[in-house]
Amino acid sequence: MSRNHQISTSANPAPPPVESYILRPPEWRGTLSSEADLGFPDFYPSRPAHGQDEDCLSELFVKQGYVSKWGISQASESFSVHGVLLKELGSQAGLARMGSTLSSLLSTRQASASSIGPSTYRLPPRYTLHDSKRLTFVADLANPLVPLHKLSKSIPHGFKGGELLEMLWSNGVSLERGVWFAKVVGASEMQRPQGKPQPPPNHYSLEWTNACTTWLKKQLAEITLPSVPRPGFSVKQAFKSILSDPQSRERWVAKWNFSCSLIRSFFAHSLLDHRNFLSWLVQQIAPANLAQIGFVSRLIEEYLEQILASGALARLMVEGVSAKTMEIVGGSAKGGAGEKLEEIKIGLARILQSTFLQAPTLFVSPKLYNAYSNLFNLVLSESPEMTLPASQAAREEPLALAVIAAMREQWEEIKRRNVGLLFMSGGGGGWSPRRQAMADINILDSICSTSDMAQISLSFFTTVPTPPPSSSSSKRASSSKPSSSAASTSTTAQAFFPTKLDILLSWSIAYAQFGAHRPSSVSTLLLHHRARHPGCDTEVQELVFKWVAESEVAAKEENREAVAETIGELMRVGIVGFAGFLMRLMSRGLTAGFREGNEPSSQLKILRSIPLYSSTSSLLSQRRVALYGLRPSTGSSDDDALAELVTQELDAAFPELAAQSVPSPNEMEDDSEPRIGSVSQLATLLGAPKFIQIDCVHRWLKKKGLSSSSDDLDLNSELLAKLLYLLEQVRDFPTMLELLFTALECPSSNSLISPIILAFKRYADVWTAMEAKGPIAEALFEKHLDLRGAPTTHRELLEVLFEMGEVGCLSEEDRTVVVNDMSMFEKSFFPSSHHPNPPPSNLDEVQMLSHELDPQAGTALATTLWYRYHAFDEWPFVVWQNVVLALALLTSAVSDPAEQLVVVDRYARFLDEVHKHIPSGLDRHLRRWFRERADQETTSDVFRGGLDGAMNYLLLQLALAGCIETVTIMDEVVLPVWKLCALRCRSSGSEAIFSSPLAVSLQSVNILATRLLLINSPSLSTSNSFQSSSSSLPPRNLEEIQRFQTSAIGCFEDSSFVKLVTHLPFVVALEVALPSGDTLAASCGTVWAGLSKHQSLKVAAFRHSGTIKEAFLRPWWPGGERSAEVSLDGRLIDALKDLISDGNQIDPTHSPTVYDWRKVVTRLTPWRWSRSVLELQLSLKQLAIRSSSESTAPEAEALLSNLTRTVFERNLSSDETDLICEGLAGTEVGPIEKFAVSGLGRLADILVSYDPSSPAAQERFNSFTDSAGNVLRVLSGTLAQARAPEGERTPFSAQDRLSEAILEMLQKLEVQLNSVHRLSSSLNPEARPEGSLSSSQLTSLLILMLRSLHVALGFSRTGIIDLWTPKAKTSMEPFLKVQMSLISMHAGTQILEEGLFALLIDTLWYYVDELPRDLRAGCIATLRTLQISEAYERHPSIPDDLRSQIKRILPYVSPDPLVENLVVSTNSLEPSLFETVKAQARPWEWIEFTDPPAPTPSHRDAYPARQVVKNNASMSLTLFQAEGTRDRLPSPSTSSRFSEAASSTMEVDKDEPWKAVESERSYADDLEGSTTFANDWARSRLRRDEEAAGGGAGDDSKSSADGSTAAAAPSPMNTVPTPAASTLPIPIASSSRSATNKRKASVSSSSTAASTKARGSTAADAVVIDDDDEPPAKVQKGRTGGKTTGGKTTAAKAPAGKKGRKKGN
């Protein structure tokens, strides 16, 4: 291996000789001297063969090595000056000598530094050039290759304003060069001869802004729209828009884009006056047409952020944008124009949304909310996604959804604040016992046929009173656990159970309530409560007996039978025991009260009437003993005799049961006299006590074999109808339900299915209250299963089962069966057809049916028509049209009414057969036919030509058969005729009715309304006061009456009832308008009299009391006009009384003098509340009516003044306040004005009488807040109804007193709150003066005063009072000052409520918005004074978001990014001499530097030690107080001049570029020494994380190089770089005035960033320095540097890591 190795080694060639390394200095380093060989500065290389000691190989050096000799002796080295220095430091003059030495050093350094020369900058001269040279200059200006320094030598005259702008556009001058030229021209225009005062720096900005806006406006004016053609003027030429031609449009759009870009540059360079430009821009929204608004909106959107800085501009912008959006929404453009307008609308909506997201408080404005609330709801809440792209992905983006959700939530808050300022919610207060009782009563009144009794029971018994909690209690409540809260709620509900039960029992018997369902509702609600709280039976029984014994309502004679019925129902379901009730009576000694000589108690009278639905002989014996004692008495025998009379009366009422046999249906048809007269004569039964009624009826039913226990029960429809009528009269609904269930199972039940279903529908609210709908559905379903095998399906049974299944009354399995059967039933109506042709308009066979004598002809014809045309949905409509045509021919051919009725009856049976062949029935087709005529106001034509009798009979027969609903006849036939006749009477007089067919139509619809709605008993069916022949019309028997009653239920449901009740005033108007004694007037009176007493209508009226009052107190007339007839308005008021009353006359009577306020307020109860409110409303209505008449106006005015004086003469309670607020709803302007004037005067008196700074303030606080608060609530309720008065304004002399009182109170509260703030921030916060108000009390007073101011502003806005009197105008300034003080105080402290700041800021905006025009200038001046004094910044702790809201109120201040937050300070080190002055921008004078770049200097000349720095830029260095510092730039990137020199003559190390600018120590006199940065770099220790520093200097230097390249690259203006940072001290930046009091010698970090941004450079981050005890870290290679400003050096830039450098703020 050795040999091989030697062979291989010898085979390789010999390596070249290694040259010896010679250390040489860099090529750029100069020598110490050019004459002598002194070497290089700070460079000591080893120089062999030049006489070095180490080159001498002596024996000593070889043996011991070379050791250099010490330069000084060993003795000198061991000497120390420690003692000398310590001695000097201990002496008194030591520190002084040190300071003197340093001062001398600094002075010497300063003297040897560079100096700043005087400014040598001169504006480019302007000359008057001839045209050719001007054209040459313009061409050179447009040519980017021509440097600007060449152009600046001669600037021509003649370009100014719009001409200059047109020149820039027409010659295609670039934006940068155009801005430079505009600056040069503007600066020249601003120059004044020496000796004359110079204008302000922004003087020319106003003129230039006007020129630019005029230029833009001129371009917009070129876009026009065609004018609206005027009648009588012919258009001579066609309209042509500039945007319609493609070429002109392209040219105009290009010019507009250039103009916008140029304006944008002017705006950014602060050449435009921002305030004037933005004001002009906002004001362009209103006059812009729909073609211009798109371009204006784009500009608005571009400058939106600047506009939002001013609240006044932003509100004006929101108002204009909203108005234009509403104009577009209200337009009807289609096609391409419609699409463009839709885009514009979306753009405007986007502006509104952007404004709302950035400044939502701008939308808190009563004026804006009143005008555009619907638009704001649409854009901000209902459809905010309208501004998003149409793509599904964009609309489902999570960020967009989050923004939309936040916008909706914020809009709800803004809307609540607007509603609060406008008092739209009325004068409703907090909790009170009366309000809680009313809430409970409303829950009970809501019970209807569709109610869930379990849910109502839960809601009723668990809704407990919730009075407003105190602050401490609310805090405890918020900190409690949910479980404990739920337990507390349950305990509270049980505690209020006695009150709830008292309300429930009183509701069941209250005379103001209606409905047979109330006793059953009470029992069902209590059963559900007992199920939730087992073991409460004893408590319930005790409370029920206590209510019977102690309740004033139960003790009244007129309520005895109702109390007995309710107690009997509770005994029937087992909640109260009859035996227990007797025992309680006996234990109190209240028995045997009916013996001779005794006066029975009210409880005993109730016991005598309590019905027993199930009793035993022992219970009856106990009852007899309790009532009459142990011995028989006269009372007992009287009861027995009365029971015998009742039984005889029942036998007489049912003669068909006398022989114990039920007549067959055939026998009933053969009877010529229907046996219905006797059943209505049950006076003895109905006058007997409830116990006798129920007991006798039960015994009689059992005797006649009609009870549920009878095995061979057999009924017919007439007998069933009479039995149902009997049980309805005695209100025995449990027995009725048992009878109906039994009837379903009897042998003849198939013929009774329809009457049974009608009974279930007619008493649906009772069955719901009894919770019997489930058993009813099960029974009907069982009957349906029995009939499934029958040849025909019972349609009515299947339909009612389907409806009950939809509401959950059937099980899921049963419902599935019903749905399947219904589907099969409907399919059977559509068999396959071979007749594809639709039915013709004329069906001859239908018209010929009148001549057919065969009774089955109608049935056959209906089947034939169905088979032919069932594939067409319109065939029943065509059949009906032909029937109407046939009847018209019939009446013209046959004059005998009897013969006509025979034919009409034939057509009725035919239509009934047609109805059976239609799955959806005939009703919708008839409704459509009548609605078409109602829309055309031709409904009256239906009864023309003698067709009235035939049409009435036909409609009633169809309603009886179920082919048409009663609701359809009323809505589409009766109500339109009432309205048409009433309006015709008002417009043309009553003669217009009699001279037209309207009289016959009115008579016919009155007959229809009477027969359909008002026949409730057999005695009424045979009597008619206005048409003798109507006895032949249905209903003719009790069964038909009940059918009509069931069909009429739909008229009193929600939507149909509202339509009915709004047409009832027309009936009253007809009664008044028609001549007295006329048949038509009598028929209208009869209709109204019957409707006003209709039980179902009264029940619905209490559920819709607001609709009833609105319909009668504010009836609808054409054009929205109000009634001017005193007689009609008075009759409407009387009609409303009849409708609401229960038969007793309510107060007031027709004369308003009867109304007594004191009497009314003494009997306010929840049960009389609606009646009391109505009484007040009717009185105010009557007074308003009488005020409109000249003869009665003085008396009415006096009565109204007396009423308002009586109301406000004393302190109001909460219930009285509620009564007034509800009574004023819908009132006329006159009473509203009187209440407002009196209430404001009373409020002024209350405010004047209270002083929050007095010693008695604490004692009088509660009484003052209660009285003032109640008056304020009355005024707020009045303001919610206020409208501008039509006549002269009511004199009001207290506005000055009210304004002064509010202002004085606010000023005192400001002082008090300042005191509280000082005490809260002191070390002894408890040192509050005794008797003074607390912080919470002061807050309450402040809110009260603000709301008082809102009320005053609201009444002034509506025009009821004139708040802005000459004296009030003088108080504008103190009002603004105190409000601004309170706002800043609250924003900067934590002693007030969180929502109070919003209330304060909203109040100030409201106050400013309502100022008259002549006060706007003074308002702006006052706010500007506050802005200059910065009084709103007395509290430095104001958060930024609140501070921005405050600044938005103040006048607009144009920001300037060059000097924003910058001040110029003195260099004095003495704090007393340290001053700052806000830096002033000079945008026109600061023109870009256009001198050509200087030649590249050598390294020696780059940074001389002593040199006069040129000051030849437009921005003078003296502005920055620049001075020499002997420090060089930290890196080449900060100086383009040195960077070029370094790149051309130096070798720059990429890893350590800072070394390229670091020279070593030089001994020459003309070069500076080492920089401060070099010393800091050498001595500092930088933290370096190798893994986190990836990329190192490369990333950092790259980012720095990017920034430096942008700054150093030649610009189009050929400007030179900014002077070196080392010679430009930066002015101090201050974010607040308090910062100026601090001693500063250099720039803070924030101010450095702001200043550097202004100069176009990048701020440097600070270097992290390790602690001294840590080892020094490796020095990070890369770009680093320090910055020296004003004589001090800032920290160096930390090198970037591998993962990137974290950016600073």
Side-chain angles (χ1 to χ4, degrees), residues 1463-1466 1474-1478 1628 1630 1633 1635-1637:
V1463 293
V1464 178
S1465 65
T1466 62
F1474 186 81
E1475 296 180 355
T1476 58
V1477 179
K1478 186 175 180 61
I1628 294 176
S1630 174
R1633 297 294 298 178
T1636 62
N1637 297 327

Side-chain angles (χ1 to χ4, degrees), residues 1493-1508:
T1496 303
S1498 62
H1499 176 67
R1500 289 175 175 272
D1501 300 330
Y1503 297 98
R1506 292 184 300 275
Q1507 181 187 9
V1508 178

Side-chain angles (χ1 to χ4, degrees), residues 337-399:
E339 295 177 359
K340 292 296 182 182
L341 287 179
E342 185 67 21
E343 294 179 3
I344 295 174
K345 185 186 75 173
I346 292 176
L348 295 175
R350 186 166 54 248
I351 292 176
L352 291 177
Q353 290 180 353
S354 301
T355 303
F356 184 79
L357 290 174
Q358 297 180 61
T361 55
L362 293 175
F363 289 76
V364 181
S365 171
K367 181 174 66 174
L368 291 178
Y369 187 80
N370 273 333
Y372 308 110
S373 57
N374 293 333
L375 174 64
F376 294 158
N377 272 324
L378 176 67
V379 174
L380 303 177
S381 180
E382 295 177 3
S383 302
E385 62 278 357
M386 63 188 299
T387 57
L388 294 176
S391 62
Q392 187 73 13
R395 293 178 178 266
E396 294 181 357
E397 186 180 355
L399 180 58

Side-chain angles (χ1 to χ4, degrees), residues 1-6:
M1 181 178 296
S2 174
R3 183 173 52 87
N4 294 337
H5 176 69
Q6 293 176 357

Side-chain angles (χ1 to χ4, degrees), residues 273-329:
D273 185 81
H274 289 192
R275 179 169 53 193
N276 285 357
F277 174 74
L278 296 177
S279 300
W280 172 85
L281 182 57
V282 169
Q283 292 170 2
Q284 297 311 300
I285 303 175
N289 57 40
L290 295 182
Q292 298 168 351
I293 191 62
F295 299 97
V296 176
S297 64
R298 293 296 179 90
L299 278 179
I300 290 286
E301 199 167 0
E302 182 175 352
Y303 296 96
L304 184 61
E305 184 177 355
Q306 289 78 14
I307 293 175
L308 295 183
S310 171
L313 288 179
R315 284 179 176 244
L316 185 61
M317 181 266 295
V318 170
E319 184 177 5
V321 170
S322 301
K324 284 300 175 184
T325 308
M326 294 296 292
E327 183 180 348
I328 295 175
V329 171

